[in-house]
Amino acid sequence: MDDLARPEIDTAQLDFDSSVEMPGDAARPHQASLPPAPRNGLVPSLERRRLQAYLLFVAMDGFILLASFSAIAAAYLGPGGDFAGVRQGAEPAFLLLPLFLTIALYNGTYSRAGLTDWRQAGAKAIAALAISAALLNFFAFFAKMNAEFSRVVFTAGIVLTGAVIVAMRRFLARRLTARWGRGAVNRLVIQAGGPKFSLPDSIHIDAREHGLRPDRADPASLNRLSQYLRNMDQIVVSSSRENRAAWAEVLKGTGLHGEVIDEATRAIGAVGVVKHDDIGMSSLLVSNGHLGLRARAMKRVFDLTISLAALIALSPVMMLTAAAIKLQDGGPIFFRQRRMGRGNGFFAIYKFRSMREDDSDGARSASRDDERITPVGRFIRRTSIDELPQLINVVKGDMSLVGPRPHALGSRAGEKLFWQVDRKYWQRHGLRPGITGLAQVRGFRGATDTEGDLSSRLDADLEYLNGWSLMRDVRILLRTVTVLVHERAF
């Protein structure tokens, strides 16, 4: 749990990325005077450290429970007590432990607020302990096990466990507060022409100095902003009045807790008001993270388990495909194209090459009779084998198995680029893009010819983001397999 330097940033010590270029960058002469965007974010991520702290708290609570009952049982039996007697006296602790941990996990004992607020964490731990003790007694009564429990050991064990857990929480909360701040979060304040202030336990940067703009018509600007937002948990923007709606729309696509300093207004679709008493100001909450830490961890474990197993099982098919592509014309095996991923940041998507010509931005969608498609490419496109290398993107963390499909930057609906059709387009990047998604199993695949088609795709993507569950991912994957099998059979 390393200390983090929050308000002051020595940009000379950061690892910056100046390699990101887009068509048209040369037309922005001011870019040359800007500092390069940070390659790995302004500060290290706290999310993994918070998860480690949760696991530490779970392990310590379990140890405290077992140790407290054992100590009480040994003291109650006296110096002459044997090991078997102590074990029998401490037996309720082993039955109590799974009940306590289950309730504690669901009542918020192991939450972000509990890392630094020992009173809240202690109160919830005591509540979980009391409920689990009551449930154990209830079950023991019907199982006729009460007579085997020592009331003295059970009662004293509960009291000692609660006291030690609260004391431990108080000690660790003070340590974590000193290192991570009162909220245990990485919070970035972007000064973009609005009221200036200094928010405690936050990093402050000037948008103009770093070239940060809420330009929804410029993917390069959104990618630059995403590099500054990397590893952040909360974003607070203080902008000029005319740019507040634009900042709100951009923040909605980050998948992060986002706030805009402003009076209440319907135009930016605020979902709550956040009061910063330290500075005497309030902000409108315009975006929330779509998934909590537990949900993201479940989704990531699911992705890694399925994608690694699929890569192993399908490795013969992938090796044969690579050999066929290479033998056909001696060209590269993989096709790499820049796409927009989570938080509106760029990543390189991988596919098996199926065409003779590269299309760097995807301005021209492939058609069934496209003359650019090779004979091998025609087969692997028809069987969807060309999509298999995206499993590598999943393992790398650029993509998920299920999510909004990442579109080529040059994709058009009619005469308009996708993001020119609907200003909500960037919101679909609140989660990692997927190999398949809700829109795809509903039949929205291939080229998008009209603005109405894009709107239907966008509605499906936003529905997925707002109603995610692991079982829904499973159903979408199964539905994808069914659709592919049916299409190939007929």
Side-chain angles (χ1 to χ4, degrees):
M1 299 178 184
D2 300 326
D3 293 337
L4 296 178
R6 292 179 176 274
E8 300 297 331
I9 305 173
D10 183 3
T11 55
Q13 301 300 317
L14 294 173
D15 184 13
F16 286 104
D17 179 14
S18 58
S19 62
V20 177
E21 297 179 358
M22 283 287 294
D25 279 351
R28 303 185 188 93
H30 67 281
Q31 293 285 342
S33 61
L34 295 175
R39 188 185 300 273
N40 298 312
L42 293 170
V43 290
S45 173
L46 275 182
E47 186 171 81
R48 181 176 297 178
R49 297 178 186 179
R50 288 196 300 266
L51 180 59
Q52 292 171 345
Y54 298 147
L55 296 176
L56 174 63
F57 278 32
V58 169
M60 292 186 67
D61 287 350
F63 174 78
I64 290 170
L65 178 62
L66 298 177
S68 296
F69 270 77
S70 299
I72 293 296
Y76 181 67
L77 292 174
D82 57 8
F83 176 76
V86 173
R87 185 181 63 182
Q88 183 177 0
E91 196 171 78
F94 292 94
L95 300 174
L96 192 63
L97 182 59
L99 287 172
F100 167 73
L101 291 179
T102 300
I103 296 169
L105 284 169
Y106 279 95
N107 80 342
T109 299
Y110 308 109
S111 64
R112 189 170 65 191
L115 294 177
T116 55
D117 187 346
W118 68 270
R119 290 182 177 85
Q120 175 179 325
K124 291 186 175 182
I126 294 298
L129 195 60
I131 294 172
S132 58
L135 287 174
L136 179 59
N137 273 295
F138 177 78
F139 294 136
F141 173 79
F142 285 99
K144 298 182 179 179
M145 296 172 56
N146 295 62
E148 300 178 14
F149 294 167
S150 168
R151 291 183 176 85
V152 173
V153 172
F154 189 84
T155 303
I158 291 291
V159 172
L160 180 60
T161 298
V164 176
I165 284 178
V166 171
M168 184 269 291
R169 286 290 197 282
R170 183 178 183 183
F171 171 76
L172 290 179
R174 290 181 172 180
R175 296 285 303 274
L176 293 177
T177 300
R179 294 181 177 224
W180 296 349
R182 286 172 293 177
V185 295
N186 285 336
R187 182 166 54 196
L188 176 65
V189 176
I190 300 177
Q191 300 285 357
K196 292 190 176 181
F197 53 86
S198 179
L199 194 61
D201 302 317
S202 305
I203 298 169
H204 296 73
I205 62 173
D206 186 274
R208 182 179 295 275
E209 292 178 3
H210 291 269
L212 303 182
R213 298 178 296 126
D215 191 347
R216 292 166 292 175
D218 184 3
S221 292
L222 296 178
N223 174 71
R224 181 177 180 82
L225 178 62
S226 75
Q227 291 176 285
Y228 280 85
L229 303 190
R230 186 171 298 168
N231 299 333
M232 294 297 168
D233 301 298
Q234 298 179 1
I235 314 298
V236 180
V237 176
S238 179
S239 75
S240 58
R241 183 175 298 276
E242 59 270 19
N243 288 328
R244 287 171 185 170
W247 276 107
E249 287 296 333
V250 169
L251 290 178
K252 289 177 188 292
T254 63
L256 300 172
H257 172 108
E259 305 173 25
V260 173
I261 300 294
D262 191 14
E263 298 80 11
T265 175
R266 294 178 181 271
I268 63 174
V271 296
V273 178
V274 181
K275 296 181 179 179
H276 297 286
D277 295 331
D278 294 330
I279 58 174
M281 302 185 75
S282 295
S283 61
L284 292 173
L285 180 63
V286 296
S287 68
N288 271 322
H290 293 285
L291 303 181
L293 177 59
R294 186 184 306 165
R296 289 199 303 276
M298 291 170 55
K299 186 172 176 65
R300 183 62 180 151
V301 169
F302 177 75
D303 284 343
L304 285 175
T305 301
I306 301 299
S307 58
L308 288 173
L311 280 171
I312 294 172
L314 297 171
S315 57
V317 175
M318 296 179 71
M319 287 188 288
L320 287 173
T321 302
I325 294 172
K326 198 67 178 178
L327 290 173
Q328 176 180 252
D329 56 15
I333 294 171
F334 294 109
F335 167 68
R336 297 172 72 252
Q337 188 180 67
R338 182 177 292 175
R339 301 281 176 99
M340 192 70 84
R342 185 185 179 215
N344 294 321
F346 291 147
F347 77 99
I349 194 172
Y350 296 103
K351 292 185 179 185
F352 281 124
R353 183 174 62 87
S354 61
M355 295 186 179
R356 296 185 179 88
E357 302 173 15
D358 283 346
D359 186 0
S360 60
D361 63 357
R364 178 184 173 188
S365 297
S367 61
R368 185 178 297 273
D369 299 322
D370 198 314
E371 72 280 359
R372 297 173 297 170
I373 301 177
T374 64
V376 172
R378 199 169 302 281
F379 173 77
I380 63 176
R381 289 174 72 91
R382 187 172 65 250
T383 56
S384 297
I385 291 176
D386 64 321
E387 307 281 355
L388 293 182
Q390 290 169 47
L391 293 169
I392 300 172
N393 285 116
V394 176
V395 174
K396 290 177 60 180
D398 296 327
M399 295 179 64
S400 178
L401 290 172
V402 182
R405 190 80 182 122
H407 299 145
L409 296 177
S411 296
R412 293 178 178 272
E415 297 299 319
K416 294 182 180 179
L417 293 166
F418 278 2
W419 60 80
Q420 295 173 336
V421 175
D422 193 320
R423 69 176 189 173
K424 294 186 295 183
Y425 177 79
W426 299 114
Q427 297 180 29
R428 67 193 298 277
H429 298 140
L431 290 180
R432 287 189 181 98
I435 295 178
T436 185
L438 185 59
Q440 281 64 50
V441 299
R442 288 181 175 175
F444 300 111
R445 299 184 300 279
T448 303
D449 298 324
T450 68
E451 295 182 17
D453 290 342
L454 177 64
S455 296
S456 298
R457 286 193 180 204
L458 180 58
D459 289 343
D461 289 337
L462 297 181
E463 179 185 335
Y464 172 79
L465 263 64
N466 295 322
W468 178 88
S469 72
L470 189 59
M471 285 307 300
R472 192 173 203 180
D473 275 8
V474 173
R475 289 195 297 269
I476 290 174
L477 282 177
L478 293 176
R479 178 62 178 158
T480 300
V481 174
T482 302
V483 170
L484 290 176
V485 171
H486 181 269
E487 287 185 348
R488 302 307 174 250
F490 298 94

